[in-house]
Amino acid sequence: MNVCVSPYRGRFAPSPTGPLHFGSLVAAVGSYLEARRRGGAWLVRIEDIDTPRNAPGAADTILRTLEGFGFRWDGEVTFQSRRTDAYRAAFERLRRDGLVFPCACSRREIADSALAPDGSRRYPGTCRGGLPAGRRGRAWRLRVEDGPVRFRDRLQGEVTEDVAHAVGDFVLLRADGVFAYQLAVVVDDAAQGITEVVRGADLLDSTPRQIYLQRLLGVATPAYCHLPAAVNARGEKLSKQTRARALDASRPQPALAAALAFLGQRPPADLGEAELDALWQWALEHWDMERVPHRRSAAAPAGFA
Ligand code: GLU
């Protein structure tokens, strides 16, 4: 019998909204070590499609920080800002299939709709049957049909969501002409042949939408593994908004050792002072996804929030 095992391909996909912080380091470390442990490739993709949120110079800073921390990626770094044609092709295909519709609603008009799991507003379906008289389409939404999307996350377990009920018809092409993250990430993960997505659990709520889109576009669904997201003392996910501390590229070891400990690995007490090569050697030899806590979030260690 011929067993065809597809080679492992993982990725790290930061948005260049600011410098890397401890939360992004956790996603980088987890996805990198898992890919290397499985003898696979690890790709870096700069998710700079949301141009209004991009911080000038952040993409460069992120790549230099990754390099300084000792990450080695495979192939060229990809930039979403250069892949608009691919997103447009996917969008046009959905449009030809009658699966998208223009929507005239402003954010304010759907502000009192029910909350979706990710904190956005569930779309009440206002323009689904056609634009109200005298209104112009602003954004384009996907027509989402009822029915559960189920998947088994390696760390977070079974997830079931009826996307139509939880989120409703979601935006694929925004009013400002930018393709939505949900579409771009699905097109890119498919184009790059990603076999497993390892990322922070703050994105768990996006996964059912991504799987829903993968099915419509006829592309493979990768395996998913959502790592605990690092939160600060107030329980907020580290981000630019929470003014998360930027990683110090001149001293990677303490942050790397802290990220390994955060991910349930048991680094020796002095690993934070080891040579960078020795630290990575330890990490590659000892990395075990089974040890990562099955939690959606955990506190970042002192000094890294
Ligand atoms: N660009 C997203 C972020 O930085 C991550 C997307 C993903 O890993 O799917 O939050």
Side-chain angles (χ1 to χ4, degrees):
M1 195 174 76
N2 259 340
V3 182
C4 172
V5 183
S6 67
Y8 187 99
R9 284 168 77 80
R11 48 59 155 198
F12 175 55
S15 303
T17 51
L20 287 182
H21 50 71
F22 185 78
S24 15
L25 180 65
V26 165
V29 166
S31 60
Y32 183 67
L33 289 172
E34 186 62 13
R36 294 299 183 233
R37 254 323 246 200
R38 308 262 289 263
W42 186 71
L43 312 181
V44 173
R45 174 165 81 226
I46 299 290
E47 300 210 320
D48 56 352
I49 190 163
D50 192 352
T51 25
R53 289 179 63 229
N54 290 343
D60 262 2
T61 310
I62 288 173
L63 293 173
R64 264 188 285 114
T65 305
L66 288 174
E67 236 160 23
F69 269 64
F71 291 95
R72 300 287 172 257
W73 53 84
D74 295 292
E76 298 279 311
V77 172
T78 51
F79 290 83
Q80 287 192 326
S81 55
R82 301 177 195 162
R83 292 194 30 83
T84 312
D85 288 352
Y87 310 142
R88 187 169 306 285
F91 176 82
E92 288 303 334
R93 176 175 164 173
L94 297 169
R95 177 145 87 160
R96 273 198 305 277
D97 292 346
L99 294 171
V100 298
F101 64 89
C103 173
C105 300
S106 65
R107 199 166 291 192
R108 187 175 314 151
E109 284 171 301
I110 54 175
D112 51 4
S113 179
L115 272 183
D118 65 359
S120 64
R121 294 289 163 179
R122 185 185 173 279
Y123 181 64
T126 322
C127 303
R128 192 174 221 247
L131 289 169
R135 300 288 303 270
R136 274 192 328 122
R138 295 157 43 88
W140 287 81
R141 291 180 180 271
L142 182 70
R143 195 180 291 282
V144 181
E145 301 304 335
D146 287 334
V149 171
R150 285 201 183 88
F151 68 101
R152 187 176 173 73
D153 186 86
R154 253 174 99 191
L155 288 170
Q156 310 294 335
E158 297 286 341
V159 177
T160 304
E161 182 184 278
D162 185 323
V163 179
H165 182 77
V167 199
D169 302 323
F170 57 92
V171 171
L172 295 185
L173 180 53
R174 301 183 344 193
D176 60 3
V178 174
F179 285 105
Y181 155 72
Q182 308 292 356
L183 180 69
V185 79
V186 163
V187 169
D188 286 345
D189 283 338
Q192 296 185 302
I194 300 304
T195 59
E196 183 171 51
V197 171
V198 177
R199 61 185 175 192
D202 48 298
L203 290 160
L204 190 63
D205 293 331
S206 286
T207 309
R209 268 170 280 176
Q210 293 171 17
I211 294 175
Y212 190 92
L213 270 172
Q214 286 155 0
R215 291 176 184 165
L216 293 182
L217 291 168
V219 299
T221 292
Y224 285 95
C225 178
H226 286 87
L227 307 168
V231 296
N232 65 18
R234 289 182 296 280
E236 304 157 333
K237 180 189 99 89
L238 304 191
S239 69
K240 193 179 173 184
Q241 287 72 35
T242 68
R243 302 196 185 181
R245 189 176 290 201
L247 295 174
D248 177 359
S250 68
R251 275 182 79 238
Q253 290 91 329
L256 285 168
L260 288 166
F262 180 90
L263 288 168
Q265 313 300 301
R266 299 178 195 137
D270 56 359
L271 198 70
E273 276 99 65
E275 293 291 326
L276 193 53
D277 284 351
L279 184 148
W280 277 116
Q281 199 178 340
W282 183 92
L284 288 162
E285 271 166 23
H286 293 87
W287 171 253
D288 184 359
M289 188 66 91
E290 297 295 311
R291 292 208 174 129
V292 177
H294 293 210
R295 301 179 52 176
R296 283 186 75 154
S297 66
F304 289 103

